[in-house]
Amino acid sequence: AGLETEWTALGSTVTGAAKPAPPAGSSFTAVAQTSVTLAWGLGTNPADTQFQVRASTASDFSGVDSFSAWLAAQTTTLSGLAADTTYHWRVTARNHSGMESEARDFGSQATAPYEPAASSAPFHDLGSSSATVQWRPNGNPAGTFYEAQLATSAAFGGEALSSGWVAFLSTTVSGLTGDSTYYLRARA
C-alpha cells in the first residue's frame, strides 16, 4: 500500500471533429444564377480541419445534390447549380484522422434568376387602355416569377404601370392611356 508503479503507455486516440460554426457575418456571401458562395467558421476545430459543403434541392437532402471537395478553407463556391432554384445547405468537418462531424445545416438559399429575354412579338392584344405583353424565360425554370412594367418614357422615369409579380411568361397590364407610345421592360 502506498507504492506506485511507473506510468505505462496504453495507446492514444483522436477525438472527432466538431460541427462547423456559423460565420461571424452572413453565411451566403455571393449568389448568382448558377453558383452560391457559402462561408462558415472553425468552431472548436483546429486550423488543419477540412470541410465539405453539400447543397440539395430537398430539405432532407434526398434531392439533386452538389458537393464540394474536402477543403481547408472556410468558404467555397458551388457552381453548376440551376438558376432560380432553392437549395438547402450543410457543412461537415473532418479531422486529420478522417473522422467526420455531424453536419451543420445552414438553411436554404435560392440561386438568382436570369433576366427575361425579349420575345419576337412582345406586345399583343392591344387595346386603348390595356396590353398583353410577353417575354422568354432565358433559362429560368417553370415557376419563376416575373414583373413587367410599361411607361411612356424609355428611361422609365415618372409613373410606370406594373403587372405585379406573375409566374407566367405573359400578362395583361391595364391603365394605359389611349393613343400613347409605351415602352416595356421585365425582370425576374
Side-chain angles (χ1 to χ4, degrees), residues 123 133 149-156 160-161 180-185:
F123 296 94
V133 295
Q149 282 189 338
L150 291 170
T152 55
S153 165
F156 287 83
L161 299 170
S180 298
T181 299
Y182 280 90
Y183 298 88
L184 169 66
R185 68 181 180 182

Side-chain angles (χ1 to χ4, degrees), residues 13-66:
T13 189
V14 174
T15 57
K19 281 185 177 183
S26 173
S27 299
F28 303 100
T29 59
V31 177
Q33 288 90 356
T34 61
S35 66
V36 172
T37 301
L38 177 68
W40 58 91
L42 276 173
T44 59
N45 292 303
D48 65 346
T49 303
Q50 294 181 325
F51 301 92
Q52 185 180 57
V53 175
R54 183 175 177 189
S56 177
T57 56
S59 60
D60 64 358
F61 286 80
S62 63
V64 176
D65 287 333
S66 182

